[in-house]
């Protein structure tokens, strides 16, 4: 018998701890932070104190040394209450600290990781540009080597970079074109750029529809100089590092979708047992109970896909296809559950007083960020053995 669907006691305890924190500490302030479009340094630090930073990082570098399924459960439980706080944790762990941990040399890991495992420091992932979103190879940001000073000089810009423009941001891993390959394609390299580097301007992006209390930044590099050894891993391996990092990131976006869908079902189940129409509680109408049944069934399917993908990653087995499937499906289920939940709430579902309204908005990001649903289908189709 090789299948194991039961959660370990350790995982149950972790789930319970994060759930309590989300319900007691995040839920009471989520609406206000969303309205004010405010990133909370206080909540971020408290999530750090709880051990939600550096989740999968080896304790030798200050991390919590959790396995991947545990990390996925952390993100899911946060997203069950608030997408923005889940986004801060997911982007920091998989996109921020992840590349430093997986590709950094010993010196870089010792230098940067301990601060990123406490909640006192955030790290961001500088891939997307105004003209390079789905087509991530279209990066225009450049890095030119200055031989005389043994420095790289970076010029260009990045956009929609989570955690990049907060007071807590310590640095950004930046993909830049560092030369030309023999086949004429651009050579991409990742650089470690401190947040306070001279020539780097970081601007908070406002007026978002979703994830309004997560920090999203726009970055401008104007002759930003970093030392010759600020390369992450090997020169020319930047695009592969970014793609592998996105494979991991897609698992956490999947977990956000799963958590959001569960949160939408939780609040809908509560509402249908309070609200009455035509003289009965509304769940007694088949029109409503069928919606609930459909939501619960899709969530069950999403959960199985999600945990299998995370398990594959944890076991060091190929997981790229399943990560794309989990991201695609969980974000669709999140959208479905928030829409059907909102429909069940009727007019109240359109009011900010009810969190289902925020969930409906937050769900939209999941089918666009870290690779659109269309990109996920491209990735999945490439794994189907087509010739
Ligand atoms: N892991 C490791 N290497 C990968 C990889 C992965 N997941 N995906 C691609 N690569 C490698 C390829 O093997 C290839 O290597 P070689 O040059 O040695 O052959 C190289 O990267 C280029 O791959 P490919 O030609 O497939 O790249 P494409 O330009 O066709 O792009 C997609 C592939 C569309 C999958 C990629 O651009 C993508 O994921 N886009 C979405 C980006 C995204 O999610 N942006 C949102 C960021 S929000 S944080």
């Amino acid at each position: 018998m090789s299948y194991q669907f039961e959660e370990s006691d350790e995982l149950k305890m972790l789930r319970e701890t994060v759930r309590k924190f989300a319900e007691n500490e995040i839920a009471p302030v989520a609406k206000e932070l969303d309205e004010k479009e405010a990133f909370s340094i206080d909540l971020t630090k408290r999530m750090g104190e709880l051990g939600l930073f550096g989740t999968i990082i080896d304790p030798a570098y200050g991390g919590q040394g959790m396995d991947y399924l545990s990390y996925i459960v952390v993100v899911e439980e946060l997203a069950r209450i608030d997408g923005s706080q889940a986004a801060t944790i997911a982007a920091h762990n998989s996109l921020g600290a992840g590349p430093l941990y997986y590709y950094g040399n010993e010196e870089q890991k010792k230098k940067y990781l301990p601060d990123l495992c406490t909640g006192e420091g955030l790290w961001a992932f500088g891939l997307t540009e105004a003209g390079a979103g789905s087509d991530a190879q279209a990066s225009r940001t450049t890095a030119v080597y200055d031989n005389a000073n043994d420095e790289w000089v970076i010029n260009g810009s990045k956009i929609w970079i989570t955690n990049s423009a907060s007071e807590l941001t310590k640095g950004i891993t930046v993909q830049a074109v560092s030369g030309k390959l023999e086949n004429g394609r651009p050579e991409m390299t990742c650089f470690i750029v401190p947040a306070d580097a001279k020539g780097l301007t970081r601007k908070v992006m406002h007026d978002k529809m979703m994830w309004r209390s997560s920090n999203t930044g726009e970055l401008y590099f104007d002759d930003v100089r970093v030392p010759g050894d600020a390369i992450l891993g090997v020169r020319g391996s930047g695009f592969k590092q970014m793609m592998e990092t996105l494979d991991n990131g897609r698992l956490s976006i999947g977990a956000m979708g799963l958590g959001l869908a569960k949160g939408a079902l939780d609040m809908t189940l509560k509402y249908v047992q309070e609200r009455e129409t035509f003289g009965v509680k509304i769940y007694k109408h088949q029109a409503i109970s069928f919606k609930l049944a459909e939501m619960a069934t899709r969530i069950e399917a999403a959960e199985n896909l999600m945990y299998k993908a995370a398990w594959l990653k944890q076991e060091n087995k190929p997981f790229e296809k399943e990560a794309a499937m989990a991201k695609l499906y969980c974000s669709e289920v999140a959208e479905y559950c928030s829409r059907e939940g909102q429909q069940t709430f009727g007019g109240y579902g359109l009011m900010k007083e009810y969190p289902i309204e925020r969930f409906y908005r937050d769900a939209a990001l999941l089918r666009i960020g870290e690779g659109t649903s269309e990109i996920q289908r491209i990735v999945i189709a490439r794994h189907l053995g087509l010739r």
Side-chain angles (χ1 to χ4, degrees):
M1 171 61 184
S2 58
Y3 283 105
Q4 172 60 273
F5 290 106
E6 187 122 46
E7 282 187 0
S8 67
D9 287 345
E10 217 181 345
L11 195 56
K12 275 187 200 150
M13 216 154 70
L14 175 71
R15 188 188 283 286
E16 196 52 36
T17 306
V18 181
R19 183 172 298 187
K20 268 200 190 129
F21 176 84
E23 284 173 351
N24 297 337
E25 313 289 329
I26 300 176
V29 292
K31 175 175 178 283
E32 188 187 343
L33 291 174
D34 177 75
E35 267 169 17
K36 292 186 174 157
E37 207 174 13
F39 171 74
S40 169
I41 291 182
D42 175 52
L43 269 186
T44 305
K45 287 188 174 177
R46 281 199 282 146
M47 290 194 286
E49 284 161 15
L50 194 65
L52 308 188
F53 276 63
T55 44
I56 57 139
I57 289 171
D58 192 319
Y61 305 106
Q64 320 303 329
M66 289 182 201
D67 60 23
Y68 225 83
L69 263 166
S70 303
Y71 163 57
I72 288 302
V73 164
V74 165
V75 175
E76 178 196 320
E77 286 301 327
L78 294 172
R80 200 168 182 149
I81 296 295
D82 182 41
S84 292
Q85 307 314 316
T88 301
I89 291 300
H92 175 75
N93 281 294
S94 21
L95 304 182
L100 293 171
Y101 182 51
Y102 289 124
Y103 311 114
N105 59 35
E106 201 50 30
E107 202 186 323
Q108 291 166 339
K109 289 200 267 196
K110 284 197 171 127
K111 180 171 176 188
Y112 296 109
L113 288 176
D115 269 0
L116 305 182
C117 296
T118 61
E120 295 290 326
L122 287 166
W123 200 273
F125 175 76
L127 171 66
T128 303
E129 298 181 10
S134 289
D135 185 2
Q137 283 200 76
S139 271
R140 292 284 172 266
T141 296
T142 56
V144 176
Y145 186 59
D146 170 1
N147 208 4
N149 294 302
D150 182 26
E151 284 177 336
W152 288 91
V153 187
I154 303 176
N155 279 287
S157 65
K158 301 282 171 183
I159 194 168
W160 297 306
I161 310 298
T162 306
N163 291 339
S164 68
S166 86
E167 281 172 47
L168 297 178
T169 306
K170 299 275 185 218
I172 305 116
T173 303
V174 177
Q175 172 181 279
V177 178
S178 54
K180 210 176 204 178
L181 298 172
E182 276 174 13
N183 61 14
R185 282 184 16 200
E187 175 197 78
M188 304 284 191
T189 301
C190 285
F191 295 89
I192 295 175
V193 180
D196 59 2
K198 196 162 166 262
L200 169 60
T201 307
R202 303 181 290 129
K203 280 192 186 163
V204 180
M205 296 179 77
H206 290 295
D207 284 340
K208 288 182 296 180
M209 161 191 169
M210 35 27 75
W211 287 15
R212 285 170 56 84
S213 48
S214 83
N215 177 268
T216 308
E218 211 169 343
L219 308 172
Y220 298 92
F221 302 84
D222 186 8
D223 283 338
V224 171
R225 288 182 167 266
V226 292
D229 63 1
I231 287 179
L232 184 66
V234 180
R235 178 175 173 175
S237 60
F239 189 69
K240 280 197 180 166
Q241 291 171 353
M242 289 278 162
M243 289 298 108
E244 285 172 5
T245 302
L246 282 176
D247 290 336
N248 297 331
R250 284 164 189 163
L251 290 173
S252 40
I253 294 287
M256 288 189 65
L258 180 60
L260 190 150
K262 287 184 178 181
L265 180 59
D266 288 345
M267 59 185 89
T268 308
L269 285 173
K270 188 164 175 281
Y271 183 76
V272 297
Q273 295 176 77
E274 292 162 3
R275 172 80 171 162
E276 290 188 5
T277 59
F278 304 100
V280 291
K281 301 264 190 319
I282 62 172
Y283 73 87
K284 299 216 166 165
H285 300 302
Q286 267 190 354
I288 301 295
S289 66
F290 278 17
K291 277 191 203 302
L292 302 172
E294 188 63 34
M295 286 160 85
T297 306
R298 292 190 194 199
I299 287 172
E300 186 69 23
E303 185 179 87
N304 280 285
L305 183 51
M306 182 68 243
Y307 293 168
K308 179 174 174 201
W311 175 82
L312 288 169
K313 156 85 186 160
Q314 185 165 299
E315 296 296 308
N316 290 319
K317 295 176 191 289
F319 70 100
E320 189 186 337
K321 177 183 72 180
E322 288 78 4
M325 287 174 164
K327 198 267 186 192
L328 171 66
Y329 189 67
C330 291
S331 53
E332 287 187 347
V333 172
E335 188 164 55
Y336 177 82
C337 290
S338 60
R339 176 164 46 83
E340 290 298 84
Q342 188 177 50
Q343 189 72 13
T344 305
F345 274 73
Y348 293 109
L350 302 174
M351 306 305 288
K352 289 191 185 292
E353 184 186 348
Y354 290 85
I356 193 74
E357 182 271 343
R358 175 164 47 85
F359 275 47
Y360 180 72
R361 284 185 283 112
D362 280 349
L365 181 286
L366 304 172
R367 59 181 158 78
I368 294 177
E370 290 195 40
T372 59
S373 293
E374 290 75 9
I375 289 291
Q376 306 313 316
R377 289 188 170 93
I378 289 173
V379 172
I380 296 162
R382 285 180 176 187
H383 282 84
L384 300 182
L386 303 167
R387 304 200 180 273

